[in-house]
Each structure stands twice: as structure tokens, then as C-alpha cells.
Amino acid sequence: MTDQANAAIESALRTFEAEAGGVTALAASLKSDLGPAFAAAADMIRKAKGRLIVTGLGKSGHIGRKIAATFASTGTPAFFVHAAEASHGDLGMITADDVIMALSWSGEQPEMKNLITYAKRFRIALIAMTAERDSTLGKAADVVLVQPRAREACPHNLAPTTSSLMQLALGDALAIALLEGRGFTSVDFSVLHPGGKLGALLKYTRDLMHSGDAIPLRPLGTKMSDALVEMTSKGFGCVGVIDGHGHLVGIVTDGDLRRHMRPDLMTVRVDDVMTKNPKTIGRDLLAGEVLEILNSSKITALIVTDGKKPVGIVHLHDLLRAGVA
């Protein structure tokens, strides 16, 4: 690599080191002075009858928008109000039942003044996320999340880099603490994330599987020639084998055909070729979990069962079409 490329990599490593140091300092503070305030903030947000209002401006405002989005997507109703716009009518978005969380590294932005006054006037709970406990914002807040001092990754110690990451990390920590505290599940998550790849991952097997006559099945005792016709016509690269009660007892795959390749293969019974007790899934399994099973087992299809009876089949291509993989 060129000297310029090496210099860029060295710069990136210094940035990672500086920002990692900031998060490490934040974790250490959480184990001491910051801990009680963090717990109080989480409790205040949890007990709020209204929503969490996240506010800030500049880089803190950008981080605040992300924090508000994370809270909202993990079960805590929240939205962002820009601190400057609040003084021009957006204060009307905030009610007495809400909790305000204001982000400001210095705690001294003039634009925060009207918002602080409004919170005090209507007795709205105020959480401050700042590095200065004795700042105007810190003194006005009901709970102060004091962030430890850390050097910015910027060589001039000016551009908000490490400090922004620390704000984001602390916001994420609060959101996840509340998520875990209320028992927010993947099912709850799917309700709030119906679109995109996340929405696809949160679909269920029952939403993707083929059922009825589309399932490739043949009974015990079937000749391999007939099983191959079934496998080929259904197009899943396998055929399930069922017993007299309709229970799945085996599966014949492309791999089984290769392993048992011999001149008389088409005349033998599926009983002698099939893989017994094949891996199966239930219809209520999340698509993301189905993909994990397919990848870890190095297979391309899974038969869906209800008890021991096959009720569907899911192929890797179904997951691809749904946007899961």
C-alpha cells in the first residue's frame, strides 16, 4: 500500500481507539456514579403515562433522532423534537404526561432555555444527558446522566466524535434496559417492523411454507423410481417419506441419491435410501431462525410438521424471495 493509504488506516485505528476509550469510560461510570441516575431515568421513562420526547440540536440533535427511533422501535413510544423548533410551536407536541430527555454535551445551548422553562412550568419530567452536571440543563433536570469526559477522535479535540458515540451508546443502553424490563419479544418487534429485511426475518414459517399437494411425499415401500418422479415434479430437491399413520419417518434428498448411486437404484425401496428421522420445523418458527437452521445444517429445504405429520415445506428460495436471505 502507499504511504497515503497507510496513513489513512493509522488514522482510522486512532479514531477507533479514542471512541472505544469513551465507551469504556462510560461503562466504568455506569458501575459507579452514573448507575443510580441511569436506573432512575429508566424508571421515569417506564412509568410515564405519555411518551418519551428526545431533544437536542447540532450533533446531539442527530444522535437524539436515532435514540428516539430506537426507543420507538423497541416498545417505548418516543419521538424527536428539535430544541430550536420547539420555541416556534413544537412545544405543543409535548404534554404533561411525557418525559423529556435533552441531549447537550455542554448543557448550555441558548436554544434549550425555552424548552427547560416549558418543562418546569408544566411540571414535565426532564432527563439531562450532558457532560456538565452544574450546567444550566444539568441544574434544571430531575435526573442528570453525567457522561465522563473523553477526548474526541478529532486531532484538535473539537469535532464531536467520541462524545457523540457515547451519547448514542447511553441512549441504546436505556432503550435495551427498558426492552428487557418489559419483556419485549421478537413477536412484539415484528408488529413494529413489518417492512424491509427486518420485517422479512420476522415472518413465520406458516407465512412462507408450501402446503397441501405441493408437499413432496411418498409412503414407505415406494420404489425409488416413483419417489424420483415426485421429487422432480415438486421441485424441492427432496421427498418426504410417511408411514401408514401419515407420520414423517424419513426424507430422500439429492444427497441421498448421490450416496446410494448404483445400477439398481431405481428399483429399490425408499426405505433403504432415506435419511431416517429428518430435521423438521414447526409452523410458528421465525423466518430468521429457519434461515439459521438451513445454513448451519447445510441443507436447502425443511419439512414443516404438526406433531409428526407433515403440513408444509420451506425451501431456501422461499426465504430469498421473501427478502430474508
Side-chain angles (χ1 to χ4, degrees):
M1 289 188 292
T2 64
D3 290 343
Q4 188 175 20
N6 286 325
I9 292 171
E10 289 299 320
S11 174
L13 291 172
R14 288 193 297 272
T15 297
F16 292 156
E17 184 178 359
E19 295 191 344
V23 175
T24 298
L26 188 61
S29 181
L30 193 61
K31 295 176 182 177
S32 56
D33 296 343
L34 181 57
F38 181 91
D43 190 56
M44 183 179 289
I45 297 169
R46 184 185 301 110
K47 291 179 178 178
K49 295 179 181 178
R51 299 150 300 176
L52 175 64
I53 311 299
V54 184
T55 186
L57 62 154
K59 299 299 186 294
S60 293
H62 295 310
I63 296 299
R65 287 183 186 277
K66 168 59 173 66
I67 290 174
T70 298
F71 272 105
S73 69
T74 53
T76 298
F79 66 86
F80 178 80
V81 173
H82 194 280
E85 295 295 337
S87 299
H88 298 276
D90 284 1
L91 285 173
M93 298 178 176
I94 308 171
T95 73
D97 290 332
D98 296 332
V99 172
I100 299 173
M101 184 164 71
L103 280 64
S104 172
W105 193 251
S106 69
E108 295 294 349
Q109 280 102 336
E111 295 90 343
M112 284 281 187
K113 181 180 178 182
N114 289 335
L115 195 147
I116 293 171
T117 301
Y118 185 82
K120 290 302 178 185
R121 178 184 176 187
F122 292 99
R123 298 181 179 179
I124 301 170
L126 176 61
I127 299 168
M129 188 184 294
T130 180
E132 301 291 345
R133 182 185 297 277
D134 295 327
S135 63
T136 301
L137 176 61
K139 289 178 179 178
D142 300 292
V143 175
V144 186
L145 299 173
V146 181
Q147 296 183 276
R149 285 289 181 179
R151 183 173 179 81
E152 302 288 5
C154 165
H156 310 299
N157 198 30
L158 294 173
T161 46
T162 305
S163 57
S164 295
L165 181 64
M166 291 167 69
Q167 287 179 323
L168 182 60
L170 189 55
D172 285 346
L174 271 172
I176 299 305
L178 288 164
L179 176 154
E180 293 178 347
R182 65 167 54 90
F184 192 82
T185 67
S186 58
V187 176
D188 300 318
F189 199 82
S190 68
V191 173
L192 302 177
H193 295 77
K197 184 162 185 176
L198 275 178
L201 286 168
L202 293 166
K203 289 182 182 294
Y204 291 96
T205 303
R206 60 176 178 265
D207 302 320
L208 303 171
M209 71 182 193
H210 303 264
S211 58
D213 292 338
I215 311 171
L217 295 172
R218 299 304 296 174
L220 284 168
T222 299
K223 286 184 178 181
M224 278 300 301
S225 56
D226 294 332
L228 185 59
V229 170
E230 179 76 356
M231 183 187 300
T232 304
S233 64
K234 298 296 174 66
F236 293 103
C238 65
V239 58
V241 181
I242 54 176
D243 63 15
H245 301 289
H247 296 165
L248 185 72
V249 293
I251 190 170
V252 177
T253 67
D254 292 333
D256 292 316
L257 292 178
R258 289 192 296 272
R259 284 187 290 272
H260 291 84
M261 187 60 66
R262 59 190 196 224
D264 64 340
L265 177 61
M266 292 298 102
T267 62
V268 302
R269 308 293 176 178
V270 291
D271 314 41
D272 302 320
V273 177
M274 70 182 189
T275 297
K276 296 180 180 179
N277 302 314
K279 190 179 294 293
T280 62
I281 54 174
R283 67 176 90 204
D284 294 327
L285 200 65
L286 286 171
E289 296 174 292
V290 177
L291 180 61
E292 171 60 27
I293 294 171
L294 288 173
N295 285 334
S296 62
S297 302
K298 297 181 179 180
I299 55 178
T300 58
L302 282 163
I303 292 179
V304 185
T305 57
D306 183 358
K308 295 182 179 181
K309 292 190 175 183
V311 294
I313 185 169
V314 175
H315 194 277
L316 179 61
H317 292 167
D318 299 318
L319 300 177
L320 289 169
R321 280 190 289 269
V324 177

